[in-house]
Amino acid sequence: MGGEADRPLLPAPVAVAAVDEAGRERIRALTGRSRAGAKLPETIASLNLFLRGWGGYFRTGNAGDKFVEMDRYMAWRLKRLLIKKRGRNLHAGQAGRWTRAWFHDQGLQQLMGTIRYPKAA
């Protein structure tokens, strides 16, 4: 009983930290204030390209906590971008409906739930 087959596959902490910071930098670039003039579907499409690659790299293994963290971070960045975009035209309670589920309904790729565990030999 026990052995290597029973151990969860974990990415190296140094690799996770480096890719996490690079991922956050990329999300910041794609959702920065300079993108306030872009339409939301265009912004989501560019984020999805990044997310498919980033999520594909880390989906084999035990990166569930990191995926949840990145999903929250993306939704927060997009919400801040929409608030900046609306400016004075933001209605009361409008920002409250911009949740992770709402962004997912708009087409944003969700990392949570995409983890694949390797098959036992």
Side-chain angles (χ1 to χ4, degrees), residues 39-49 78 103 106-108:
K39 296 187 183 312
L40 183 63
E42 294 171 6
T43 304
I44 287 176
S46 59
L47 269 173
N48 283 343
L49 284 174
L78 285 170
F103 286 118
Q106 300 305 310
L108 182 65

Side-chain angles (χ1 to χ4, degrees), residues 19-111:
V19 173
D20 180 39
E21 188 55 37
R24 286 177 181 268
E25 286 292 324
R26 183 76 175 135
I27 291 170
R28 271 187 224 116
L30 293 171
T31 59
R33 288 180 170 216
S34 64
R35 301 274 310 213
K39 296 187 183 312
L40 183 63
E42 294 171 6
T43 304
I44 287 176
S46 59
L47 269 173
N48 283 343
L49 284 174
F50 163 73
L51 291 175
R52 276 194 289 275
W54 195 89
Y57 183 77
F58 279 108
R59 79 179 185 169
T60 302
N62 196 358
D65 292 341
K66 190 54 67 177
F67 279 10
V68 170
E69 183 182 321
M70 290 303 272
D71 282 342
R72 284 184 186 142
Y73 182 68
M74 282 181 301
W76 180 79
R77 290 291 300 186
L78 285 170
K79 184 175 182 176
R80 302 305 306 160
L81 181 67
L82 287 176
I83 289 170
K84 178 65 178 170
K85 186 176 190 171
R86 300 284 190 257
R88 291 178 170 227
N89 295 325
L90 185 65
H91 302 292
Q94 189 175 15
R97 72 167 201 224
W98 295 327
T99 61
R100 281 190 292 169
W102 188 85
F103 286 118
H104 179 64
D105 290 344
Q106 300 305 310
L108 182 65
Q109 173 112 10
Q110 189 174 10
L111 292 173

